[in-house]
């Protein structure tokens, strides 16, 4: 009897031991989809887990201290109602995705930023800088206007000598090899509208037709160049004023000049517009017009424009930029005729990759016709910037 009891106890203990050992055994690990580096499109891309899409996440912080116009009075400093200094902080978020398909590259890009100036309090509304899809040579969404070519070497913080405009587009680009391409684009016209003057009411009516833009571009080892043209619908809010078809043409070139410095380059750009004043320049004086209706006759405003710049690198850490432009507006009446020229220079230090610290000074002269009743004006601006891009 004792032997049976001992045998039963041994069996029970053996079963308990087996159960404990089974519970202690490690479970088979579930498969883990590790993030993989994607080097097909440059640095910092990675594959989205479970897909063949590569994504790059980035951002930028820009801090500026702006000294507004302190040229001829009345200016931002002499007028108590005007803001003299601005403290600005701006944060960007970038998302860039790329997917290889049988039809070619599928790309999306989004850039969103928030800006807080010294006069802004509480919540700040985000702004959409870019948001587009590229597929099979087509571009859909908000991107750089296909008119724009040279958009400056300096920051152009407060005035510019060129056009740098983002717009909603439907565009197609064809490549012909050897760095040559051509694009056609339909773009939101509202981003290029300036004043319309008429006895029955100023301004544009509702949008009816998009801007139609075409360009031809070449990019090679020596630099790049572009020819561009646009058709722009001038449509008055005044129902009695006749609309017109505005247009503009332009050309520009950027040339590498290694004999001045290993990274040096110069640019020149010219443009003429007739009823499409904001294409050659996006920082006109407030007197600029697209057209004026005089006694029932609509006459478009003509502009002549030339701009250029020089980018010079003293070293990998120090660079300087100098640029300027001359612009003439010939309107239907002398009261809206004027010319302006600008000059901008800046110096920037890059102590580590992605960090820029520098200062920029800008000058603008506006020369009015006597019929305007306005005095000619000299404007001076200064901007200090600290920027980190990652």
């Amino acid at each position: 009897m004792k032997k049976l009891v001992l045998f039963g106890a041994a069996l029970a203990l053996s079963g308990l031991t087996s159960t404990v050992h089974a519970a202690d055994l490690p479970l088979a690990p579930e498969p883990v989809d590790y993030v993989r580096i994607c080097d097909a499109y440059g640095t910092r891309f990675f594959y989205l887990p479970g897909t063949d899409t590569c994504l790059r996440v980035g951002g930028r912080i820009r801090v500026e201290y702006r000294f507004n116009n302190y040229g001829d009075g009345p200016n931002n400093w002499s007028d108590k109602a005007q803001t003299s200094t601005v403290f600005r902080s701006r944060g960007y978020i970038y998302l860039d995705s790329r997917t290889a398909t049988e039809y070619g590259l599928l790309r999306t890009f989004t850039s969103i930023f928030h800006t807080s100036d010294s006069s802004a309090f509480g919540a700040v509304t985000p702004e959409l800088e870019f948001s587009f899809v590229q597929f099979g040579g087509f571009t859909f969404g908000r991107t750089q206007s296909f008119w724009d070519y040279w958009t400056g070497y300096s920051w152009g913080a407060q005035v510019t000598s060129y056009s740098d405009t983002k717009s909603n587009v439907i565009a197609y680009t064809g490549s012909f090899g050897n760095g040559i391409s051509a694009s056609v684009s339909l773009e939101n016209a509202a981003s290029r509208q300036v004043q319309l003057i008429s006895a029955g009411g100023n301004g544009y009516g509702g949008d009816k037709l998009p801007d139609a833009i075409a360009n031809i571009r070449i990019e090679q080892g020596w630099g790049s160049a572009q020819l561009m043209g646009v058709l722009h619908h001038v449509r008055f809010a005044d129902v009695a004023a006749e609309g017109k078809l505005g247009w503009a043409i332009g050309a520009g070139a950027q040339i590498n000049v290694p004999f001045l410095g290993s990274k040096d380059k110069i640019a020149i750009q010219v443009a003429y517009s007739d009823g499409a004043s904001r294409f050659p320049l996006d920082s006109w004086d407030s007197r600029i017009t697209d057209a004026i209706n005089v006694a029932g006759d609509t006459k478009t405003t003509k502009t002549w424009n030339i701009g250029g710049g020089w980018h010079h690198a003293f070293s990998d850490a120090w660079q300087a930029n100098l640029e300027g432009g001359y612009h003439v507006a010939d309107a239907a009446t002398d009261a809206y005729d004027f010319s302006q020229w600008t000059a901008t220079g800046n110096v920037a230090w890059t102590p580590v990759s992605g960090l820029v610290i520098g200062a920029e000074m800008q000058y603008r002269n506006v020369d009015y016709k006597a019929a305007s009743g306005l005095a000619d004006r000299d404007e001076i601006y200064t901007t200090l910037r600290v920027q980190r891009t990652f």
Side-chain angles (χ1 to χ4, degrees), residues 229-245:
V230 62
L231 298 176
H232 174 74
H233 187 205
V234 177
R235 185 172 183 272
F236 285 81
D238 181 2
V239 296
E242 178 188 7
K244 291 284 187 179
L245 182 63

Side-chain angles (χ1 to χ4, degrees), residues 98-242:
R98 316 281 181 96
T99 306
T101 75
E102 60 182 307
Y103 302 101
L105 179 67
L106 169 60
R107 182 192 183 197
T108 68
F109 185 82
T110 301
S111 171
I112 300 173
F113 66 87
H114 287 66
T115 303
S116 176
D117 288 339
S118 52
S119 58
F121 299 94
V124 179
T125 302
E127 295 186 52
L128 191 63
E129 183 183 31
F130 296 106
S131 182
F132 61 81
V133 177
Q134 290 179 323
F135 180 64
F138 287 92
T139 300
F140 308 94
R142 182 172 176 81
T143 187
Q144 192 76 33
S145 170
F146 281 76
W147 164 274
D148 292 345
Y149 170 62
W150 178 66
T151 55
Y153 295 138
S154 66
W155 305 328
Q158 303 194 55
V159 294
T160 64
S161 303
Y162 44 80
S163 165
D164 183 6
T165 300
K166 283 72 176 175
S167 185
N168 292 310
V169 313
I170 303 173
Y172 179 78
T173 299
S175 297
F176 307 106
N178 201 29
I180 300 173
S181 65
S183 300
V184 291
S185 179
L186 298 177
E187 304 189 3
N188 178 26
S191 60
R192 298 287 191 171
Q193 295 170 352
V194 295
Q195 288 191 94
L196 297 179
I197 308 297
S198 181
N202 297 336
Y204 271 82
D207 293 341
K208 297 298 180 185
L209 298 174
D211 293 330
I213 297 172
N215 72 47
I216 300 176
R217 189 180 184 114
I218 181 170
E219 294 189 50
Q220 296 181 340
W222 53 267
S224 63
Q226 178 172 295
L227 299 173
M228 53 276 198
V230 62
L231 298 176
H232 174 74
H233 187 205
V234 177
R235 185 172 183 272
F236 285 81
D238 181 2
V239 296
E242 178 188 7

